[in-house]
Amino acid sequence: MLHLIYTFRPTAAARADLPAFWRWVGERERWFYDGLDMARDPRWYVCTVGPGVHTLEHWISFADEAGWGDYRGEVSRRSRDPAWEQRRIEQDRWWEILDARLLNDAPLPPVRDAER
């Protein structure tokens, strides 16, 4: 598996109205990933301790590099639609992207609960 991970810092507007922010995140996730079936298992984490306190991590997974490539190609294609791109960039009102990275699963067999 390949995991695309973004780290976000909510803007002052987001922090001023967290219920509205999280509603927007949910709506955006449904809209953005609609039809992107190669993107799997979206997850959100809030950092509560450490240097990135109050930042968010968003993880989205792909079966392999080909799936990630298909995703990038489709996002690129969609971004050429002015209405789609305008909606995508409304994210600037809600968060600042601090980091993006890719992680791959290590080539180890999964550990079963009975083996722990």
Side-chain angles (χ1 to χ4, degrees):
M1 294 289 291
L2 179 82
H3 310 281
L4 174 60
I5 303 152
Y6 282 98
T7 304
F8 302 116
R9 174 178 291 125
T11 63
R15 293 189 309 271
D17 191 350
L18 287 173
F21 169 70
W22 285 110
R23 274 192 307 276
W24 174 82
V25 169
E27 291 166 6
R28 183 184 190 280
E29 185 171 292
R30 285 186 295 279
W31 164 78
F32 187 86
Y33 292 113
D34 184 40
L36 296 173
D37 298 334
M38 73 293 285
R40 304 174 179 179
D41 194 24
R43 290 166 285 168
W44 288 92
Y45 301 97
V46 177
C47 181
T48 55
V49 176
V53 69
H54 304 304
T55 59
L56 310 173
E57 281 196 359
H58 175 52
W59 292 52
I60 191 77
S61 300
F62 305 90
D64 51 30
E65 288 181 27
W68 180 63
D70 292 343
Y71 164 83
R72 293 298 309 143
E74 180 59 18
V75 169
S76 176
R77 186 193 68 75
R78 291 178 182 194
S79 71
R80 292 189 293 270
D81 173 354
W84 189 90
E85 183 64 5
Q86 184 61 41
R87 185 167 182 189
R88 185 193 69 79
I89 64 171
E90 76 182 13
Q91 69 188 6
D92 294 343
R93 177 176 186 267
W94 295 101
W95 60 44
E96 172 189 1
I97 299 173
L98 301 178
D99 186 42
R101 64 191 192 277
L102 288 171
L103 296 178
N104 289 81
D105 287 346
L108 299 171
V111 177
R112 294 181 303 206
D113 286 337
E115 296 173 344
R116 293 180 193 209

